[in-house]
Amino acid sequence: MTRALRRHATTLILVVLAAAAAIALLVLDRRAVPTDEAERRKKNLFEAWRPDEITELTVTMSPPGAPPGARQTARVTRGEVDDAGQRPWVVEIDGQRHPADEPTVDQYLGTLEFAKAERRVSAEASDPAALGLTAPRLTVAIAMGARRERLLLGGGAPTPPGAVYAEVAGRGVFVITQQLAAALEVPPDRFRSRSFVPYAAAELSGLELAGDGGPRRFVRAPWGGGRGAGFRFAEGSPEGGVRVSAPALERVLSALGRMQAEAFLSEDEAQRAAAGGGPRVTLTLLPSDPSAERGVIDLGGPCPGRPDHVVAVRRKPTRAAACVPASALDPLTEEASRFVDLALVGAPLDEVAEVKLSAGARALELARAGSEWHLRAPEDRPVPTEAGRALVQAILDVRAARLLPAASDLGALGLAPPRATLRVLSTPAAVGEGEPRERVETLEIGAEQGGVVHVRRLEDGAVAALPAASAGALLPTEVSLRPVQVLDFAPDQVDALRIERAGLVQRLRRAAGGAWQLVEPRGEGLAADSGLAEELAELLGSLKAERWVEADPGAGYGLGAPRLVIQAELAAAPASSGAASEAASRTVRVELGARAGDGDGSFARAGDGAFPRAGGDGAAVFIAPPALEAAAGRLLLRRDVFLVPPQEIARVALARGDGRAPPLVIEASPGGFTVPGAADEATATATAASVRDALADLRAEGAVALGKPAKHHGLSPPRLRITVDLARPEAAPGAEGASPPGPRSGSFTIAIGAGDSFRGTNVVYARRDGVDAVYAIAQSRVRPLLAAAGLPTAD
């Protein structure tokens, strides 16, 4: 063996030397920059850039607001491989490791990759001390494979404005622009991930809230579901383990997503902020992973220098403090009652796959087939898509008025046994690991008891009380699968309208030119509003049922004595292709009975002419949309009775109703509107212009009463009287193309009264002489007139 080694010693030595030379050549080659790359990047600060080989980035600078000489370093490195097979960036600051903000790191590396110099500084002029490079304002170090790059930013250069000296190790000194320097001077803290909440919603088995709003504890429920849909109250809660409202909890989870750190705080800053106002809410996050520590965050208290932010202190699993948007706090302070789910069915419409309603021998079974619906029982047939969606949506819209205690006597509530059951099968779109792929919700519907029906939600055992009218959507009836289109005709087919409600009948007829004329009621200056009449005709012609309720209402649903009756006389539909018209002239009638619920429309029936007393298609009950009653329940009178075109005004006098000041007089002149005898001409001119513009924009929201004003209208006496003298007499009321109706004399008066609310708008009551009605005008339109008269502009 010894002789063999001696014989081959030379060969072995040569092999080792060759291998060493190859390794050295490889290292040198990896550090070397190919000629074409060097030529391509000759204007860049770094002559080589290999992003896949970058393993470390270190940035050192003085953070904003720090004392002179204080330095902070962010050391960004690749972390361990995560579940997705990626190696995310991790940043170390002041000895603490944090997840890095990936977009910030990527953007910073991109800035370095494409960073270019304005010019090179000659070696003779490159005195580091003179250029501020011995104590640089920024130091950047990069580990890129075998290469090590280092960049220093020093003092300001004379040109271009704001330019900065920069030194690249091994290459020399350069001048860079102010914009590039600003992009590189990223405070080390900005490399930290802005995400403050340690766990995503999908990683939670539950969460708890304490503080403002009281104690609230939510846990994952066995029925599963995405985001906020799969939670219930924790056992032992006063709410008794009932289902949590998905929309309410979704607002909480969205708030957690918005809880991004705008700025991180030191421990001292966090303690000083807490001294100024303690936390309002403590949030506890319970991770699904049993080995993971729970997350605890205190939220609330003023954030220094950021009035629209609050302080968040994360106590577990790692400690941190930051300023987060104050808007994230609002959903976390809702009381527990706001989280109780009053919806009887929790699945959203797009996830419902099957619905089965049963009551004794009667059953109705509906299944989704793609975007279509199919009836399985009592017969097998397809169902119009719109009708199927309407039936399911009606079921999903049913909400409890209240939930009863879990220990309620089911027999006393008409639930032992129930008179009907409802089964809804859904397929949740977001299914987590271990969660069911199908969700089955079963409701037991009790007998009606004094206008109330009790429903037991088997999913969580909750017992709901709801009005008997709402429970109709949970019972099997084939009428619910009728097409939702109730009436279908063109609005211009409507020749006449008749609307009857308690104490009032309105009749309108279409004139030859298409405009509407008022037949009834009669009164001085009253005329029809063609826009309102046309809107009602359009709603009637396209009337759809929110849902069908029952084939034969009898005298139920308030239809024995309807609140509102709408009748429309229709002209014959025009003939097509020379053929005779398919539809003769006819009269359609819609009756509105009791309201179906707050904002949910009214029970109604529709048909041709009078309704049969029992049975018949025309007697079927449906829920009419709220818009129909809103359009038919108002006075269809002209809303432009107060408008005054500026060119027709000769003089305006604004007189306070209390008589405490002389009237303000405004007159028209060739140069515009003026206030005669005003001391301050500029102010007077501005006031006159505001009055002129307000009168030209004084359109009413609608008429509110006929005849003389009532006491609450505040018009006897009014707050403000506006007397308008016209430059020319008005045309007769109701004449084609006439100005708003009124007296034929050359002047009229507008009275402005008390404030109120009308159809969701803040208004004042108003009346014009020569028009026998009281109107509502938006306060915003009247405000300039009140201000000009020296009156308060808000009620």
Side-chain angles (χ1 to χ4, degrees):
M1 177 67 72
T2 303
R3 287 196 301 269
L5 288 174
R6 288 173 179 172
R7 188 167 55 251
H8 297 292
T10 302
T11 302
L12 291 173
I13 292 171
L14 291 175
V15 170
V16 171
L17 290 175
I23 293 171
L25 182 61
L26 178 61
V27 171
L28 291 173
D29 183 63
R30 288 175 60 86
R31 294 179 58 88
V33 180
T35 303
D36 59 341
E37 182 180 13
E39 178 62 24
R40 189 173 64 252
R41 297 185 57 84
K42 63 182 180 181
K43 291 186 177 181
N44 292 89
L45 292 181
F46 300 103
E47 61 180 353
W49 193 263
R50 289 147 194 177
D52 293 340
E53 298 181 17
I54 297 175
T55 56
E56 184 176 322
L57 167 70
T58 304
V59 178
T60 302
M61 65 174 293
S62 296
R71 310 281 281 175
Q72 190 177 50
T73 297
R75 180 174 173 266
V76 184
T77 57
R78 287 289 186 188
E80 299 297 327
V81 178
D82 60 17
D83 294 339
Q86 304 295 320
R87 293 185 61 196
W89 292 104
V90 177
V91 61
E92 181 180 324
I93 301 174
D94 298 332
Q96 299 290 322
R97 288 170 62 84
H98 314 277
D101 187 66
E102 299 277 335
T104 299
V105 175
D106 292 343
Q107 183 177 359
Y108 198 85
L109 291 175
T111 300
L112 292 171
E113 177 180 4
F114 298 105
K116 291 184 177 181
E118 285 293 291
R119 65 180 183 275
R120 181 186 290 270
V121 179
S122 64
E124 295 78 12
S126 299
D127 180 4
L131 303 182
L133 293 167
T134 53
R137 56 202 260 188
L138 172 73
T139 301
V140 179
I142 307 165
M144 186 165 50
R147 297 182 65 87
R148 297 293 182 269
E149 303 287 1
R150 189 163 176 267
L151 170 68
L152 308 178
L153 295 193
T159 59
V164 173
Y165 289 113
E167 180 181 2
V168 179
R171 293 202 71 197
V173 179
F174 303 87
V175 173
I176 63 173
T177 63
Q178 181 183 24
Q179 292 78 11
L180 176 57
L184 293 173
E185 292 184 288
V186 175
D189 224 23
R190 296 300 297 178
F191 288 98
R192 287 180 65 174
S193 171
R194 303 291 102 189
S195 296
F196 195 76
V197 178
Y199 304 113
E203 299 173 312
L204 298 178
S205 65
L207 66 155
E208 300 174 358
L209 296 167
D212 288 9
R216 291 138 293 165
R217 297 188 296 133
F218 312 125
V219 295
R220 287 277 182 193
W223 53 82
R227 295 283 292 184
F231 285 83
R232 62 176 176 83
F233 282 89
E235 293 297 337
S237 298
E239 294 71 26
V242 301
R243 194 169 69 202
V244 171
S245 165
L249 193 58
E250 179 62 34
R251 288 192 291 272
V252 170
L253 298 178
S254 296
L256 301 187
R258 293 197 306 274
M259 206 179 292
Q260 301 286 311
E262 181 64 25
F264 288 98
L265 303 175
S266 66
E267 283 291 335
D268 289 343
E269 289 173 320
Q271 289 176 7
R272 286 196 299 270
R280 293 179 54 188
V281 173
T282 295
L283 168 68
T284 302
L285 304 173
L286 309 176
S288 301
D289 183 353
S291 65
E293 186 178 5
R294 64 176 50 194
V296 180
I297 299 174
D298 292 329
L299 193 66
C303 199
R306 298 177 184 271
D308 54 347
H309 287 69
V310 294
V311 173
V313 177
R314 187 176 66 218
R315 292 191 274 126
K316 295 179 180 180
T318 57
R319 189 165 183 86
C323 294
V324 301
S327 61
L329 185 61
D330 295 337
L332 309 183
T333 60
E334 296 278 6
E335 296 181 353
S337 60
R338 301 293 294 272
F339 290 94
V340 174
D341 191 2
L342 297 178
L344 296 191
V345 177
L349 176 63
D350 292 340
E351 293 180 4
V352 174
E354 296 178 12
V355 173
K356 183 176 182 180
L357 304 95
S358 305
R362 289 186 300 145
L364 189 148
E365 189 170 351
L366 191 68
R368 185 196 295 273
S371 61
E372 306 296 323
W373 292 92
H374 195 92
L375 186 66
R376 291 177 176 170
E379 59 179 318
D380 187 60
R381 63 177 174 86
V383 171
T385 300
E386 202 170 15
R389 287 180 65 89
L391 181 146
V392 177
Q393 188 63 64
I395 292 172
L396 302 185
D397 287 342
V398 178
R399 296 177 61 82
R402 60 192 176 92
L403 296 185
L404 277 60
S408 300
D409 183 349
L410 298 182
L413 300 176
L415 284 164
R419 65 163 165 162
T421 60
L422 167 66
R423 178 180 179 273
V424 177
L425 184 147
S426 59
T427 53
V431 178
E433 185 177 352
E435 291 185 349
R437 296 189 176 275
E438 287 187 347
R439 178 182 182 183
V440 178
E441 300 179 70
T442 302
L443 305 180
E444 294 180 344
I445 299 97
E448 180 180 346
Q449 298 178 329
V452 175
V453 171
H454 294 97
V455 178
R456 186 179 178 215
R457 202 166 56 190
L458 297 191
E459 189 171 69
D460 60 352
V463 176
L466 59 149
S470 300
L474 309 177
L475 302 175
T477 170
E478 275 199 84
V479 73
S480 59
L481 289 175
R482 288 186 175 191
V484 297
Q485 192 75 48
V486 179
L487 298 174
D488 188 10
F489 53 80
D492 57 9
Q493 281 185 254
V494 181
D495 281 342
L497 288 167
R498 186 181 190 277
I499 306 102
E500 182 179 352
R501 58 183 169 95
L504 177 67
V505 174
Q506 295 186 84
R507 292 171 54 215
L508 296 88
R509 185 165 296 278
R510 196 187 293 273
W516 287 89
Q517 294 181 338
L518 185 68
V519 179
E520 190 179 355
R522 295 182 179 276
E524 184 183 11
L526 300 184
D529 189 302
S530 291
L532 296 179
E534 201 65 29
E535 180 184 345
L536 178 56
E538 289 179 5
L539 285 169
L540 282 173
S542 59
L543 180 60
K544 291 183 177 181
E546 298 283 294
R547 69 175 174 90
W548 290 96
V549 178
E550 189 174 336
D552 182 6
Y557 302 100
L559 291 166
R563 294 182 299 110
L564 189 64
V565 178
I566 311 163
Q567 239 174 234
E569 295 178 16
L570 306 183
S576 58
S577 303
S581 172
E582 294 182 1
S585 60
R586 60 191 176 108
T587 299
V588 297
R589 178 184 175 94
V590 179
E591 295 179 352
L592 300 185
R595 288 187 172 86
D598 292 339
D600 293 334
S602 304
F603 294 104
R605 59 182 176 180
D608 290 354
F611 296 108
R613 293 188 178 275
D617 287 348
V621 180
F622 64 95
I623 294 181
L628 180 62
E629 182 171 354
R634 58 191 171 191
L635 290 166
L636 304 182
L637 301 180
R638 286 182 65 168
R639 293 166 291 172
D640 58 358
V641 296
F642 302 99
L643 293 177
V644 187
Q647 66 273 16
E648 296 184 9
I649 299 176
R651 182 177 181 274
V652 177
L654 304 179
R656 294 168 55 128
D658 57 15
R660 293 184 180 178
L664 173 70
V665 177
I666 298 170
E667 294 181 349
S669 68
F673 287 82
T674 60
V675 179
D680 186 341
E681 185 175 348
T683 301
T685 300
T687 300
S690 70
V691 170
R692 174 202 63 200
D693 293 343
L695 291 174
D697 190 41
L698 207 58
R699 185 179 184 84
E701 299 298 304
V704 296
L706 296 170
K708 301 300 182 184
K711 183 177 180 180
H712 73 275
H713 292 145
L715 291 163
S716 300
R719 275 199 290 172
L720 176 66
R721 283 191 179 89
I722 307 166
T723 302
V724 181
D725 295 333
L726 301 175
R728 61 179 177 80
E730 290 187 295
E736 189 70 25
S739 297
R744 297 197 64 181
S745 63
S747 67
F748 64 89
T749 300
I750 298 171
I752 304 297
D756 205 343
S757 178
F758 176 76
R759 297 182 181 273
T761 300
N762 292 326
V763 299
V764 294
Y765 293 117
R767 186 178 176 88
R768 169 179 166 161
D769 54 10
V771 181
D772 199 16
V774 178
Y775 286 81
I777 303 176
Q779 289 185 14
S780 58
R781 298 180 188 270
V782 177
R783 198 168 287 127
L785 301 171
L786 296 173
L791 289 166
T793 58
D795 290 291

